[in-house]
């Protein structure tokens, strides 16, 4: 493909899967990440799946001059902006860090893009911008802004910044993708959520309990108005989510210069449903501990993604069972590394004053 795509947050959970889908769709993406919460050896893992030698820049979006150096060196046609902090509970304890990284970092990126006359951006947003649902499933017309945590507010702020840019300058071409609970892993068992830190999301936590790495799964809230009292959500396979980015890229010049799409599933599952499915797949008992609700949590959330289906040709294809199987496979499979040690080293990557790193 002739279009050059820069992916920020490229070493993260969604970012790595997006890179694979870009490569398999014929693109040669450029990866950018500060590696603060990166998947270990992501470049090597992506090479194992695709055979593609990834060009990577280790850059923090709070370092505007380094971002500019990347744009000076690389022809960029479109940016997939996935970089940012994403833990809801962490954002409640450290809101300034979230506003700094997620909002100021984005502004730095946008200023550099404008300086280099790069106006195409696909932004990784979140269902958290909707706050407490007024109705379900959530569609793109649902009111936003009544966010229940700082993380959601940072996403909401960036959406408004991007909208204001399209109003001020018609050259800007913006697509907003609102994620609904990314889950699962690549079916190869090579890519998934980072295992090097204490897990924060539901699926990795369940897996850690099943593996014996954690004593029990703490469930915050068991008195919601749901069939079993635990929160219910729609979960989106991360590969389906990644494919949504490719669909958005291919249709990015349709339907005006500011578009918003939900990427998520309407069908919901409770936390206990997830536990039961993992027990079935793993053959292991998952101990649970029921605790009081945490601030910022909601009882139920599901997506109406019909707009993405109609305009992007996208829909979720993978089932809950596949999500759990792929996640368990990722957590329990040791992927081979002999290919990467043989083929990937610093000489494979372009030389630059900015830190290149094969261990994306």
């Amino acid at each position: 493909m002739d279009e050059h795509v820069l992916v920020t947050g490229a070493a993260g959970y969604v970012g790595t899967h997006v890179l694979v889908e870009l490569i398999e769709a014929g693109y040669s993406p450029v990866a950018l990440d500060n590696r603060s919460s990166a998947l270990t050896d992501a470049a090597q893992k992506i090479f194992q799946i695709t055979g593609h030698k990834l060009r990577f820049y280790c850059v923090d979006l709070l370092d505007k001059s380094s971002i500019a150096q990347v744009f000076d060196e690389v022809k960029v046609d479109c940016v997939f902006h996935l970089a940012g902090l994403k833990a809801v509970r962490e954002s409640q304890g450290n809101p300034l860090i979230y506003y700094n990284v997620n909002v100021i970092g984005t502004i730095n990126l946008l200023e550099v893009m404008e300086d280099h006359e790069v106006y195409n951006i696909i932004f990784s947003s979140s269902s958290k911008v909707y706050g407490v649902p007024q109705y379900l499933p959530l569609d793109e017309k649902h009111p936003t802004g009544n966010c229940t945590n700082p993380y959601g507010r940072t996403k909401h702020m960036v959406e408004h910044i991007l909208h204001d840019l399209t109003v001020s300058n018609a050259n800007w071409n913006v697509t907003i993708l609102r994620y609904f609970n990314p889950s699962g892993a690549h079916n190869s068992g090579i890519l998934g959520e980072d295992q090097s830190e204490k897990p924060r999301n539901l699926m990795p936590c369940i897996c850690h309990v099943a593996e014996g790495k954690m004593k029990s799964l703490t469930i915050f809230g068991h008195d919601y108005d749901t069939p079993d009292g635990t929160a219910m959500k729609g979960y989106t396979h991360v590969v389906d989510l990644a494919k949504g980015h490719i669909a958005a890229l291919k249709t990015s010049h349709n339907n005006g210069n500011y578009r918003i799409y939900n990427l998520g599933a309407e069908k919901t599952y409770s936390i206990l449903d997830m536990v039961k499915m993992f027990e079935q797949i793993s053959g292991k008992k998952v101990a649970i501990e029921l605790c009081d609700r945490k601030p910022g949590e909601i009882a139920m959330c599901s997506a109406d993604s019909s707009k993405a289906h109609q305009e992007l040709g996208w829909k979720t294809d993978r089932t809950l069972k596949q999500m759990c199987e792929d996640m368990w496979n990722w957590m329990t499979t040791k992927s081979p590394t002999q290919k990467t040690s043989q083929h990937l080293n610093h000489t494979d990557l372009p030389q630059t004053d900015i830190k290149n790193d094969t261990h994306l």
Side-chain angles (χ1 to χ4, degrees):
M1 296 284 186
D2 292 334
E3 195 156 11
H4 296 80
V5 181
L6 175 70
V7 181
T8 74
Y13 175 40
V14 177
T16 51
H17 289 81
V18 166
L19 286 171
V20 168
E21 295 303 322
L22 278 167
I23 293 165
E24 292 187 343
Y27 296 90
S28 296
V30 175
L32 186 151
D33 199 291
N34 68 359
R35 296 187 61 200
S36 64
S37 57
L39 180 67
T40 305
D41 296 339
Q44 288 89 332
K45 294 176 185 297
I46 290 168
F47 181 82
Q48 287 175 243
I49 295 171
T50 67
H52 180 85
K53 298 175 183 178
L54 191 65
R55 185 170 184 174
F56 170 64
Y57 291 91
C58 186
V59 170
D60 195 308
L61 293 185
L62 295 178
D63 182 355
K64 186 176 175 181
S65 63
S66 291
I67 304 171
Q69 288 182 56
V70 175
F71 278 76
D72 289 342
E73 292 188 13
V74 179
K75 174 178 169 50
V76 177
D77 296 305
C78 180
V79 173
F80 281 13
H81 181 30
L82 281 65
L85 300 176
K86 63 177 184 177
V88 168
R89 294 193 185 109
E90 182 183 60
S91 76
Q92 292 166 329
N94 299 286
L96 289 179
I97 295 175
Y98 272 69
Y99 290 118
N100 195 34
V101 172
N102 292 4
V103 180
I104 302 304
T106 299
I107 291 172
N108 287 341
L109 173 65
L110 294 171
E111 288 178 345
V112 171
M113 288 177 65
E114 198 161 47
D115 289 343
H116 289 77
E117 298 184 344
V118 178
Y119 297 108
N120 299 309
I121 184 168
I122 295 174
F123 174 59
S124 160
S125 190
S126 168
S127 61
K128 298 296 187 291
V129 301
Y130 293 117
V132 179
Q134 297 179 14
Y135 58 83
L136 289 173
L138 293 165
D139 58 25
E140 293 85 353
K141 296 178 181 179
H142 187 285
T144 60
N146 188 25
C147 306
T148 60
N149 53 75
Y151 164 70
R153 278 187 280 276
T154 64
K155 293 295 187 180
H156 189 247
M157 287 179 182
V158 172
E159 286 193 9
H160 276 281
I161 291 168
L162 290 168
H163 178 265
D164 290 343
L165 281 177
T166 62
V167 172
S168 68
N169 184 343
N171 289 322
W172 279 99
N173 184 44
V174 174
T175 303
I176 307 289
L177 301 179
R178 291 174 178 163
Y179 299 175
F180 283 72
N181 304 302
S183 303
H186 196 270
N187 62 7
S188 64
I190 295 172
L191 278 181
E193 290 196 66
D194 186 13
Q195 300 182 59
S196 63
E197 297 182 354
K198 183 178 178 180
R200 294 168 178 165
N201 295 329
L202 177 61
M203 277 195 173
C205 285
I206 294 175
C207 283
H208 273 65
V209 175
E211 285 188 291
K213 295 178 180 178
M214 290 171 53
K215 184 178 179 181
S216 63
L217 172 72
T218 303
I219 298 177
F220 295 101
H222 52 94
D223 58 351
Y224 290 108
D225 185 18
T226 60
D228 62 23
T230 63
M232 299 187 71
K233 298 178 181 179
Y235 295 87
T236 311
H237 197 295
V238 67
V239 174
D240 283 337
L241 193 67
K243 288 180 180 296
H245 293 70
I246 311 307
L249 177 61
K250 289 180 176 179
T251 58
S252 61
H253 293 283
N254 301 341
N255 304 302
N257 68 337
Y258 184 78
R259 300 159 299 277
I260 299 174
Y261 300 102
N262 287 340
L263 295 185
E266 183 172 343
K267 186 172 178 57
T268 60
Y269 299 93
S270 73
I271 295 175
L272 292 182
D273 288 334
M274 303 292 284
V275 170
K276 291 174 185 175
M277 181 61 75
F278 264 104
E279 287 180 334
Q280 175 185 324
I281 288 166
S282 67
K284 298 179 181 295
K285 181 68 177 175
V286 176
I288 62 173
E289 179 184 359
L290 299 176
C291 296
D292 293 337
R293 303 182 191 184
K294 284 281 188 179
E297 298 292 343
I298 58 178
M300 187 175 291
C301 184
S302 60
D304 179 346
S305 299
S306 57
K307 183 180 177 184
H309 180 57
Q310 293 165 6
E311 296 186 7
L312 307 182
W314 178 89
K315 62 183 179 66
T316 56
D317 290 324
R318 290 157 182 79
T319 64
L320 174 66
K321 186 172 185 287
Q322 286 176 286
M323 273 187 263
C324 295
E325 287 174 340
D326 290 342
M327 188 68 188
W328 183 243
N329 185 36
W330 154 248
M331 295 293 284
T332 56
T333 299
K334 303 299 181 184
S335 58
T337 57
Q338 59 266 30
K339 283 186 181 179
T340 59
S341 60
Q342 178 180 352
H343 292 283
L344 275 180
N345 52 57
H346 283 284
T347 60
D348 290 321
L349 297 172
Q351 298 301 308
T352 174
D353 292 332
I354 304 172
K355 181 183 177 185
N356 273 318
D357 197 329
T358 59
H359 303 288
L360 180 60

